[in-house]
Amino acid sequence: KDNDVLIEKLETQHDIDKEEVVMLLALKDPSKLYQAADRVRRKYVGDDVHLRGLIEFSNYCNNTCFYCGLRGPNRTIKRYRMEPEEIIQCAKYGAAAGLKTIVLQSGEDKYFKINTLCKIIEEIKKLDIAVTLSIGELSTKDYAELKKAGADRYLLRIETTNKELYQKLHPGMSYENRVRCLMDLRELGYEVGTGSLVGLPGQTLEMLADDLIFFKKIDADMLGIGPFIPCENTPLEREKGGNVEIVLKMLALSRLLLPDINIPATTALAVKDKAGYIKGLKCGANVIMPNIGIDEYKKLYKLYPGKVPDNPSEAVNSLENIKKLILSQNRTIGKDKGYRKKILN
Ligand code: 5AD
């Protein structure tokens, strides 16, 4: 059938136009799409699953994104900042547990001076591990200084490439500046991760197809794609959440379009669906991000509900749970830093 031909073309040429992407996103039975993505994943990045140890070091945020529980105006959550020494201790713990990448994530908190962040990065780099930052939109100069201090990668989701939807959900922010950040990061030599939220109110399959075309165009090194999960005390609290199957189709299409990149099975996917990590790993994903922060703070980093149960060691994204899960799927745990294995171009 037509769709089979499309999938085959994608699997061999890794290219496709927008209308065709929309057709595949609408597939009634996506099993062949998933299988093709799984083959391409295996061929290009192998069976290794790379672990990226996540440290959520501050939940203060100046932004007001409609979907996010950390938005500035949300007065119902208790705010925290970790001390630089605490952040470094967590990184040391992660390194001792065998992790080769640490991800430092926070809300857009102006409290931390770039200089302070640089010192933290320099300390962590002494552990001979990769450092990924996920701290939002900054100036070109700040990105340059963080890179000089040793940061290797940066995560900044575009969230949606539909400008109108973007502006509606991000008051006071601009789509152009977000793209400027991604271009700066690339120019400065970071490995660049971006991605989108799936199931935002008003988002269509055409918009998701545009997201994928954008990812291909900017040649993203990493793509984090997860379902939107409505969060209490945000403007979108009563909206419907994203659909797991569409997230899986987005992962599979990402793998087919950009065969050699890193694609996480996201925490939001695992929160939305008990088998989310496993499903993601079978649809093209090759990365998982265990949370290696401090339990007391994990509860407060509430982007969306369901992330942290009463007992944080039972969290889906605890290091122990994730290691077991990977081995149960006959996959291996990556032992190197897990940079993008550039094969094409
Ligand atoms: N549901 C799912 N993901 C969310 N994020 C923020 N809020 C939510 C939510 N309600 C995601 C955004 C952001 C990342 C750190 O968390 O895509 O880039």
Side-chain angles (χ1 to χ4, degrees), residues 67-69 105 134 157 159 178 196-197 226-231 268 301 303-305:
Y67 43 80
C68 183
Q105 187 177 84
S134 177
R157 290 184 179 174
E159 315 292 0
R178 200 123 183 123
S196 36
L197 279 167
F228 156 60
I229 300 176
C231 183
Y301 203 82
L303 304 169
Y304 48 82

Side-chain angles (χ1 to χ4, degrees), residues 161-172:
T161 56
N162 185 273
K163 247 199 209 176
E164 237 171 273
L165 183 60
Y166 186 92
Q167 298 300 357
K168 235 191 256 173
L169 298 175
H170 306 96

Side-chain angles (χ1 to χ4, degrees), residues 258-276:
L258 291 152
D260 56 4
I261 67 168
N262 287 313
I263 302 179
T266 55
T267 309
L269 181 61
V271 166
K272 176 94 196 186
D273 181 332
K274 270 213 264 342

Side-chain angles (χ1 to χ4, degrees), residues 98-116:
L99 300 179
K100 297 291 174 209
T101 298
I102 296 296
V103 183
L104 302 179
Q105 187 177 84
S106 70
E108 292 205 9
D109 182 6
K110 295 283 167 281
Y111 174 86
F112 287 88
K113 298 273 168 295
I114 290 302
N115 199 17
T116 311

Side-chain angles (χ1 to χ4, degrees), residues 293-310:
I294 296 172
D295 285 348
E296 167 195 0
Y297 298 137
K298 288 179 187 171
K299 298 197 261 290
L300 303 176
Y301 203 82
K302 237 181 151 193
L303 304 169
Y304 48 82
K307 267 182 86 219
V308 186
D310 292 335

